[in-house]
Amino acid sequence: MKSAVENLNPTRVRLTVEVPFEELKDSLDAAYKKINQQVTVKGFRKGKIPARIIDQRFGRGAVLEEAVNDALPKFYTEAVNEAELNVLGQPEVDITELKDGETLNFTAEVDVRPTIEIPDYSGIEVEVDAVEVADEDVEKAVEELRERFASTSPVERAAQDGDVVTIDLEAKVDGEVLEDGVASDVSYTIGSGELLDGIDEAVKGLEAGGEATFASELKGGSAAGKEAEVTVKVTQVAARELPELDDDFAQLASEFDTLDELKADSRKRLENMKQYDQATQAQERVLEKLLELVEVPVPEKLLEDEINTRKHNLEHHQLGQMGLDLAKYLEIQGKTEEEFDAETKEAAIKGIKTQFVLDELVNKEKLNVNQEELTEHLMRRAASSGMSPDQFAQAVVEGGQVPMLVGEVARGKALAVVVEASTVKDTNGEVVDLDDEEDETESATEVVAEATDGDEASAEASEEKPEA
């Protein structure tokens, strides 16, 4: 077999392959054997039909077609390996010549990973928000904790903001009560915004036994997005009572003995959260600067597939779970379809570039992922998916997604290397020391996973088998 490579552009090549006919012998034998098992000829036992009879009865062309379909993947893979190509996705194969007993010639056009030169990134400088926790932030955190320990007691008066009401609901669309539009004994805190639009105004001023009707657009269920006439009946009004902010509350709500200790711990927690957010912000901005430094051509077919993948995931998974379609989503977002398409394309380009650049850094810096790092990432992904670690791990293995997770961790480590070499200052002009290597890698991995969301399916460098 002989092969040659022609570079069509920085991300696409054409392979020209010439195969001497004798190299098709094994595939021809396999083709005759396969056809032998599929057909019957009077006078011959099944599986014992001579090749010349098969040629006479069914045509030599059918045998050649079967043999070529069997042989193409092997010859294509050999040509790819010989040229040391890093291919992406399915090739477009064209059989240019097939002479029985002489030769098989074909071409294969396929996308390849572009050659990327990583420049010196040590000069990258970014600015992030300073870590500042005001007294008001601490007071708000303690107040939120206090709200969680509030108690309720029934009152004989009209409902008002902050009260907890027990209600019955009935929703009608076009005068018909919906099958899933009836609910009883629903507990609702007035002003929380957790139910239907307009319900706060409807129940305020009602006492137990009172009812009201209002119009509201349904957010979910069988009539999601439709205007409904909702009847609400209040069966109980209860006032919320907050505990006193004192040492007794600190002992009730935490492991601390005094309110001052509780507030000090709240301040520390807020500082840790802001530091994590600061690290994430640094990584996002360093990644943006890095991508600006590197010229990354994007394969057109890969970009098209990635855009389609992102749209499919949004429409059929994320929006479907919320009972929305794309049109309603765009209406809520206040975007036109053209704006949505432009944003999706921009995000897809960034995702592909991020993957290409960080993969090149992984190779350049010779970064590896150990079992402990992979397990930690798997645990975090499981938690964010709402699955148990065992369930998530099983789904990952069955779906063949282990390489995807390994890639995310490796790219996170690559980004962490760049962040470490960069200069990060806060808005006060102070140099930020992101010295917790483990936390930095974790948050960097999350930043990379978000940037490349959806890219793995289409951008994973794999040698796909061609179809003749």
Side-chain angles (χ1 to χ4, degrees):
M1 185 195 80
K2 295 192 301 182
S3 64
V5 179
E6 177 186 358
N7 293 314
L8 302 178
N9 60 48
T11 62
R12 194 165 180 83
V13 300
R14 179 188 292 124
L15 283 165
T16 301
V17 183
E18 298 178 9
V19 183
F21 204 81
E22 57 266 23
E23 293 188 32
L24 284 171
K25 182 180 183 306
D26 289 344
S27 294
L28 279 168
D29 291 343
Y32 278 116
K33 185 176 181 180
K34 182 176 180 179
I35 294 173
N36 239 310
Q37 300 299 322
Q38 294 175 337
V39 301
T40 57
V41 175
K42 189 175 180 180
F44 296 95
R45 286 183 297 163
K46 196 174 185 66
K48 299 296 183 180
I49 308 170
R52 60 182 178 79
I53 300 298
I54 290 177
D55 289 346
Q56 291 172 2
R57 291 293 185 91
F58 306 101
R60 174 73 166 175
V63 179
L64 289 174
E65 182 179 353
E66 182 66 38
V68 170
N69 281 335
D70 175 73
L72 268 180
K74 180 185 70 171
F75 293 128
Y76 167 74
T77 300
E78 287 179 6
V80 166
N81 292 338
E82 183 178 291
E84 298 182 343
L85 298 176
N86 205 344
V87 299
L88 298 166
Q90 284 274 13
E92 295 179 4
V93 177
D94 181 25
I95 297 174
T96 56
E97 186 175 27
L98 176 57
K99 289 186 177 180
D100 194 359
E102 296 183 29
T103 186
L104 163 66
N105 298 336
F106 69 91
T107 62
E109 289 190 17
V110 66
D111 287 333
V112 293
R113 280 183 179 255
T115 300
I116 298 173
E117 294 293 332
I118 304 294
D120 179 16
Y121 47 78
S122 60
I124 291 178
E125 292 188 13
V126 297
E127 184 180 74
V128 295
D129 296 334
V131 173
E132 296 174 345
V133 178
D135 291 343
E136 292 79 4
D137 297 328
V138 176
E139 296 299 330
K140 181 180 177 182
V142 173
E143 190 62 28
E144 288 174 353
L145 182 62
R146 187 185 179 203
E147 291 277 349
R148 287 166 49 191
F149 283 85
S151 59
T152 59
S153 58
V155 293
E156 295 183 2
R157 61 165 171 77
Q160 58 190 34
D161 274 330
D163 285 345
V164 179
V165 290
T166 304
I167 54 177
D168 298 335
L169 294 166
E170 181 184 82
K172 295 180 181 179
V173 173
D174 298 329
E176 296 291 330
V177 177
L178 300 171
E179 289 185 10
D180 55 354
V182 178
S184 301
D185 296 326
V186 177
S187 181
Y188 174 67
T189 301
I190 300 175
S192 66
E194 295 174 352
L195 277 178
L196 300 167
D197 292 338
I199 194 169
D200 288 342
E201 292 75 12
V203 297
K204 279 193 293 187
L206 296 180
E207 298 184 15
E211 67 177 56
T213 300
F214 63 100
S216 183
E217 184 179 298
L218 299 178
K219 298 179 180 178
S222 61
K226 293 185 177 180
E227 189 81 7
E229 180 185 89
V230 183
T231 299
V232 55
K233 181 178 180 179
V234 176
T235 59
Q236 179 181 277
V237 178
R240 299 176 74 250
E241 298 176 0
L242 298 174
E244 292 293 329
L245 277 178
D246 53 22
D247 292 346
D248 289 339
F249 168 70
Q251 294 167 22
L252 170 68
S254 70
E255 71 272 26
F256 301 106
D257 294 327
T258 69
L259 183 60
D260 287 341
E261 290 174 334
L262 173 60
K263 288 183 177 181
D265 180 70
S266 296
R267 183 179 294 276
K268 183 62 178 176
R269 289 174 183 271
L270 290 171
E271 287 175 350
N272 290 340
M273 289 172 57
K274 285 181 177 287
Q275 285 172 349
Y276 187 88
D277 291 343
Q278 185 188 62
T280 300
Q281 191 179 59
Q283 288 147 4
E284 290 173 345
R285 293 182 178 179
V286 167
L287 177 59
E288 290 174 1
K289 290 280 190 179
L290 177 63
L291 295 181
E292 290 174 4
L293 292 177
V294 188
E295 186 68 31
V296 186
V298 176
E300 291 183 10
K301 182 65 167 61
L302 179 63
L303 177 59
E304 179 185 344
D305 290 345
E306 177 55 28
I307 291 172
N308 291 334
T309 297
R310 287 174 179 254
K311 284 185 175 180
H312 178 84
N313 289 342
L314 176 66
E315 291 188 63
H316 298 281
H317 297 292
Q318 298 166 341
L319 296 183
Q321 293 175 356
M322 295 187 288
L324 298 174
D325 58 17
L326 182 59
K328 189 61 182 177
Y329 169 76
L330 293 179
E331 181 184 332
I332 294 172
Q333 294 291 314
K335 297 176 183 175
T336 65
E337 190 169 347
E338 291 74 18
E339 290 171 334
F340 169 75
D341 288 343
E343 289 179 3
T344 303
K345 181 178 181 180
E346 183 180 352
I349 291 173
K350 180 182 178 182
I352 294 171
K353 286 184 175 182
T354 296
Q355 186 169 329
F356 284 170
V357 170
L358 294 181
D359 282 349
E360 185 64 31
L361 266 169
V362 168
N363 294 330
K364 180 180 179 180
E365 302 292 344
K366 296 180 173 56
L367 302 175
N368 296 308
V369 177
N370 59 42
Q371 186 61 47
E372 182 180 356
E373 291 167 334
L374 180 59
T375 300
E376 288 175 356
H377 183 52
L378 186 148
M379 298 279 282
R380 291 194 300 275
R381 287 292 297 267
S384 64
S385 70
M387 301 170 66
S388 71
D390 288 343
Q391 288 174 324
F392 187 78
Q394 183 178 353
V396 166
V397 172
E398 291 177 352
Q401 298 298 302
V402 173
M404 179 193 75
L405 292 185
V406 172
E408 286 180 355
V409 178
R411 294 178 199 116
K413 295 180 74 170
L415 177 56
V417 168
V418 180
V419 173
E420 186 177 351
S422 303
T423 300
V424 180
K425 293 183 178 180
D426 65 21
T427 49
N428 295 327
E430 299 291 331
V431 174
V432 177
D433 183 15
L434 306 172
D435 57 358
D436 191 327
E437 184 175 339
E438 182 177 340
D439 286 346
E440 184 180 343
T441 300
E442 286 181 11
S443 56
T445 301
E446 296 304 315
V447 168
V448 172
E450 183 175 349
T452 59
D453 181 33
D455 298 332
E456 289 291 345
S458 54
E460 182 69 24
S462 58
E463 296 177 7
E464 300 281 1
K465 294 182 178 180
E467 297 176 355

